[in-house]
């Protein structure tokens, strides 16, 4: 396949003047032509727009899902004009709860929270997603005591397909709250959520290249010892990158910071040069990585947790039971190294605490997430043919926003409350206005 460097993002939710609208997700793998795009500036305008519209409705955040969750040829709704200040804050038994605009980006909300001396407890790799989009797919970071974004929700405010406002919190309607946490935009439009937050804090970030076998053997201990621990596995290499974040009050520091984009480019060039020589690739990678120096940074929590991802890729991530997760990782790596010499993107491994969302992958137990990536425009069909069967055989649940092939029957086996979710969805949206072909498949509902 052609080697092109793709460093610019496809446009999201950009109207074509005078013609149909063109929408594409971040990786360009999903495109759609909505008949209209609504960009309300307040909830009242949103309500009027929904009441006045006919036919299908879908919501999009930053378009960072790899699955076709947001695609529609009907009305696409973006709340990105309802950006983010902190609407109010209160304290409950779990600490501070901030009521936030759900359409705002995590980054703008982090800044708004910081202005009030507050912070998100955790973030994933990036923070350009909308809070609503991140919640709807159970977006997560890493840390064994830290749940996904949706797990931190204490209240929700939704606009239904019939343009009614419904609200729930952990005292008034716990079931609706737990159903809505991770609801794929199938129950209603999330306009606001009360999120459990904490006082602003600084982190000490440390990245170290170590023998993969050692990291895997010590993974449980590393998750115990560090607030955030994750690791990146390089195919065809005996070393991996260990990344930790721990809370600190020390002064800001930046020592030996490297450039992820340049590292990915070098890995891609090496892959191309040694495609038929995996042993040479391993030798070169081992020699180079064995000499890599540690990097350290101290700074504001969200600056260090989230990065900017410019190199465009496609991704599959499954969340695996903790017991046996390292064996699954070893199997995935073995399959890639045996059959896919074109793969150069690191495999990311993280852990997330349990929550109570009916469709949260982390419902009921903490899980270890294993993510495989393919540089865009490289082939990614091997995710489905080679990797997904391994994840499925070991009882994994897919990330809702990342590539997977599961349908309603498979999902019903993975989620004890799947039937209740389907029933509630039918009550809240009897005409199926929020149903697009992707949701029709995963929820087993007619798309028409
Ligand atoms: C470069 C990159 C890095 C990533 N890193 C991580 C990571 O570290 N951890 C992780 O878990 N995931 C990660 N993801 C996946 C990403 O966080 C999720 O796919 C997330 O859903 C994207 O948020 P978004 O705002 O782009 O939402 P979209 O992808 O636009 O939408 C996601 C879902 O939310 C619904 N939705 C959007 N707004 C609303 C609303 N107001 N009300 C109701 N439903 C709504 C949409 O209809 C859709 O179903 C990453 C993706 C990319 C491309």
């Amino acid at each position: 396949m052609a080697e092109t460097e793709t460093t610019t993002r496809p446009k999201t939710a950009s109207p074509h003047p005078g013609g149909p609208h063109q929408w594409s997700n971040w990786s360009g793998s999903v495109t759609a032509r909505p008949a209209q795009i609504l960009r309300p500036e307040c909830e009242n305008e949103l309500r009027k727009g929904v009441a006045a519209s006919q036919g299908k409705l879908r919501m999009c955040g930053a378009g960072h899902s790899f699955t076709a969750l947001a695609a529609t040829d009907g009305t696409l709704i973006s709340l990105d004009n309802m950006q983010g200040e902190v609407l109010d804050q209160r304290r409950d038994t779990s600490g501070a709860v901030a009521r936030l605009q759900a359409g705002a980006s995590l980054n703008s909300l982090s800044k708004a929270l910081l202005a009030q001396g507050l912070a998100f407890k955790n973030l994933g790799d990036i923070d350009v997603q909308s809070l609503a989009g991140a919640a709807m797919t159970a977006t997560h970071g890493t840390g064994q005591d830290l749940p996904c974004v949706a797990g931190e929700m204490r209240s929700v405010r939704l606009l239904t397909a019939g343009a009614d406002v419904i609200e729930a919190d952990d005292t008034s309607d716990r079931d609706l709250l737990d159903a809505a946490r991770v609801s794929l935009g199938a129950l209603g439009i999330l306009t606001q959520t009360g999120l459990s937050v904490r006082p602003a804090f600084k982190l000490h970030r440390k990245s170290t290249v170590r023998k993969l076998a050692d990291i895997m053997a010590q993974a449980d201990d590393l998750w115990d010892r560090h607030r955030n621990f994750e690791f990146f596995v390089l195919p065809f290499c005996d070393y991996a990158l260990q990344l930790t974040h721990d809370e600190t009050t020390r002064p800001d520091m930046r020592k030996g910071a490297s450039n992820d984009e340049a590292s990915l480019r070098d890995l891609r060039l090496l892959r191309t040069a040694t495609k038929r020589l995996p042993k040479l690739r391993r030798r070169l990678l081992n020699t180079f990585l064995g000499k890599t120096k540690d990097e350290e940074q101290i700074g504001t929590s969200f600056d260090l947790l989230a990065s900017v991802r410019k190199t465009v890729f496609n991704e599959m991530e499954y969340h695996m039971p903790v017991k046996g997760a390292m064996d699954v990782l070893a199997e995935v790596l073995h399959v890639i190294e045996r059959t896919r010499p074109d793969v150069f993107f690191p495999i990311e491994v993280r852990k997330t605490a349990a929550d109570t969302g009916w469709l949260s992958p982390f419902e009921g137990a903490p899980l270890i997430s294993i993510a495989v990536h393919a540089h865009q425009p490289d082939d990614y069909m091997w995710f489905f043919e080679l990797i997904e069967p391994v994840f499925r055989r070991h009882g994994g649940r897919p990330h809702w926003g990342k590539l997977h092939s599961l349908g309603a029957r498979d999902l019903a086996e993975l989620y004890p409350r799947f039937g209740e979710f389907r029933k509630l969805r039918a009550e809240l949206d009897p005409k199926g206005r929020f149903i697009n072909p992707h949701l029709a498949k995963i929820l087993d509902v007619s798309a028409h």
Side-chain angles (χ1 to χ4, degrees), residues 59 61-65 125 129-130 133 137 139-140 184 190 350 399:
M59 292 69 81
H64 274 52
S65 294
D125 278 346
Q129 309 97 315
S130 63
T137 61
T139 291
H140 63 100
L184 318 171
L190 185 71
R350 295 180 276 184
H399 189 305

Side-chain angles (χ1 to χ4, degrees), residues 74-95:
T75 299
L76 187 65
I77 297 169
S78 162
L79 302 189
D80 60 7
N81 282 335
M82 291 165 65
Q83 278 295 328
E85 77 269 36
V86 179
L87 299 168
D88 62 45
Q89 49 166 308
R90 64 183 166 88
R91 295 197 73 77
D92 71 9
T93 46
S94 66

Side-chain angles (χ1 to χ4, degrees), residues 217-327:
Q218 294 161 14
D220 285 343
D221 181 47
L222 289 161
W223 269 304
D224 270 347
R225 279 198 286 126
H226 296 283
R227 181 183 198 276
N228 309 90
F229 157 64
E230 66 187 294
F231 61 104
F232 294 87
V233 179
L234 287 178
F236 307 97
C237 180
D238 298 330
Y239 289 90
L241 181 79
Q242 169 182 312
L243 187 61
T244 57
H245 289 90
D246 289 292
E247 212 170 323
T248 184
T249 52
R250 285 163 55 197
D252 287 5
M253 168 179 75
R254 192 173 168 84
K255 212 171 100 193
S258 70
N259 177 341
D260 286 356
E261 303 303 325
S263 305
L264 280 171
R265 187 202 52 220
D266 292 347
L267 285 170
R268 180 172 58 79
L269 293 174
L270 182 66
R271 174 281 307 267
T272 305
T274 61
K275 223 170 190 172
R276 292 179 209 292
L277 301 163
K279 282 192 185 145
L280 175 63
R281 185 166 159 196
R282 186 179 293 278
R283 219 167 43 238
L284 291 171
L285 278 173
N286 283 349
T287 307
F288 179 71
L289 282 160
K291 295 181 191 150
T292 309
K293 293 207 169 73
D294 291 356
E295 291 170 18
E296 283 184 90
Q297 285 184 63
I298 293 178
T300 309
S301 59
F302 64 91
D303 277 341
L304 293 195
L305 288 169
S307 316
V308 176
R309 295 274 177 240
K310 287 191 182 155
T311 304
V312 181
F313 54 81
N314 286 297
E315 180 175 354
M316 172 180 282
E317 182 177 58
Y318 265 67
H319 310 293
M320 308 303 306
V322 170
K323 193 165 180 293
M326 291 304 124
D327 296 335

